[in-house]
Amino acid sequence: MTLDDPRTGILAERLAAVRQRIGAAVAATAATGGAAADPTLIVVTKFHPGADVLRLRRLGVADVGENRDQEAAAKAAEVADAHLRWHFIGQLQSNKAKSVVGYAHAVHSIDRASLIAALEKTMVVEQQQTGRANLDCFLQLDLSSAYPELAAQANNAQGGRGGLTPSDMEKMADKIAASAGLNLAGVMAVAPLGVAPEPAFELLARLSAKLVAAHPQATGISAGMSHDLEAAIACGATHLRVGSDILGPRPAVL
Ligand SMILES: *Cc1c(COP(=O)(O)O)cnc(C)c1O
């Protein structure tokens, strides 16, 4: 595989287009007095092969995201020499904590106390064995309360996309902050399906401010995907998770 193989060319083009969108959104946000720092681009490689991860690495990508442990662990092992930062962004079962801390730099999808306990336990062992750095932990928040019209249909698949109810955020943040091996990095969310993302990301920004007031280092805001990264940047996103606009479509159902 070389830089002029056709797939690398396609990825390079799409990556450049996404970087351009990010640059434009950062400039637009700065022009209105918002945060102007460049967010970290996490390229979500789920369903795409390790060869694509290597292509992206050669194109300057340092951060990649995956949402299933089995796939992520295999890919991380396959391209271990590429020195990437792996971000785990999907629903995580506690019994997968041991596997995930073997390769992940960050977990963006922390949504319950039992998972925090499992990650702490496995990180303590992992750090004794490998001396690895603390695991960055983002609290995933359910933002459906930003939409009164969705509250009426609670538990509807169109509503919440997983995560903690905002009222549980501070309690969980304190738990992470008190855990060995875990670094409280900030908040994460996926905007609800089928509605404009702005109310969700505005709520996320308010929740982030509340978190930072209690935990000044926890400034991360992981928000924004292919279709809504501009709205997320306008609300102060520090980490974008972009898949399909760079890698192309995923299989619809697995
Ligand atoms: C797949 C996924 C993304 C990327 O979504 P795209 O629409 O492909 O950019 C972002 N965040 C999470 C949690 C995901 O599962």
Side-chain angles (χ1 to χ4, degrees):
M1 186 199 319
T2 59
L3 272 175
D4 57 7
D5 92 305
R7 176 70 173 161
T8 301
I10 292 168
L11 293 180
E13 224 166 84
R14 295 204 195 115
L15 183 63
V18 165
R19 288 202 191 284
Q20 197 160 20
R21 282 171 61 197
I22 294 170
V26 168
T29 304
T32 59
D38 274 345
T40 298
L41 172 60
I42 300 165
V43 181
V44 179
T45 50
K46 63 191 186 199
F47 301 125
H48 294 280
D52 275 353
V53 177
L54 288 180
R55 290 183 174 100
L56 291 163
R57 184 74 190 104
R58 283 169 202 185
L59 295 169
V61 169
D63 294 271
V64 291
E66 289 281 341
N67 71 339
R68 296 189 311 169
D69 171 61
Q70 202 178 4
E71 181 180 348
K75 239 179 268 184
E78 183 187 341
V79 304
D81 295 344
H83 300 293
L84 288 146
R85 275 192 299 263
W86 293 85
H87 297 256
F88 194 85
I89 63 172
Q91 262 279 316
L92 182 54
Q93 292 170 271
S94 295
N95 64 1
K96 300 288 171 63
K98 185 170 175 347
S99 172
V100 166
V101 305
Y103 58 85
H105 160 82
V107 174
H108 290 238
S109 43
I110 295 187
D111 59 0
R112 60 197 192 280
S114 58
L115 179 58
I116 296 168
L119 288 170
E120 178 183 30
K121 194 169 147 208
T122 51
M123 274 299 297
V124 167
V125 176
E126 186 75 14
Q127 287 186 318
Q128 279 166 0
Q129 288 173 352
T130 69
R132 65 154 290 167
N134 282 357
L135 180 73
D136 275 358
C137 294
F138 292 80
L139 286 169
Q140 181 171 358
L141 299 170
D142 177 353
L143 301 179
S144 52
S145 62
Y147 302 86
E149 69 274 23
L150 292 183
Q153 17 172 320
N155 300 324
N156 182 319
Q158 292 299 305
R161 307 279 301 271
L164 288 162
T165 34
S167 56
D168 290 335
M169 176 184 75
E170 285 164 296
K171 185 170 74 195
M172 293 296 158
D174 292 344
K175 250 188 224 311
I176 293 174
S179 296
L182 307 186
N183 171 39
L184 179 64
V187 291
M188 178 275 206
V190 180
L193 282 172
V195 286
E198 285 81 5
F201 293 150
E202 284 160 14
L203 173 59
L204 185 62
R206 291 196 297 277
L207 291 167
S208 168
K210 197 165 156 189
L211 180 68
V212 171
H215 300 275
Q217 84 290 356
T219 54
I221 301 180
S222 170
M225 307 166 43
S226 290
H227 67 284
D228 60 14
L229 67 89
E230 284 87 357
I233 290 170
C235 291
T238 62
H239 294 71
L240 309 171
R241 309 178 310 269
V242 179
S244 44
D245 276 4
I246 295 171
L247 285 138
R250 295 182 285 272
V253 183
L254 265 206

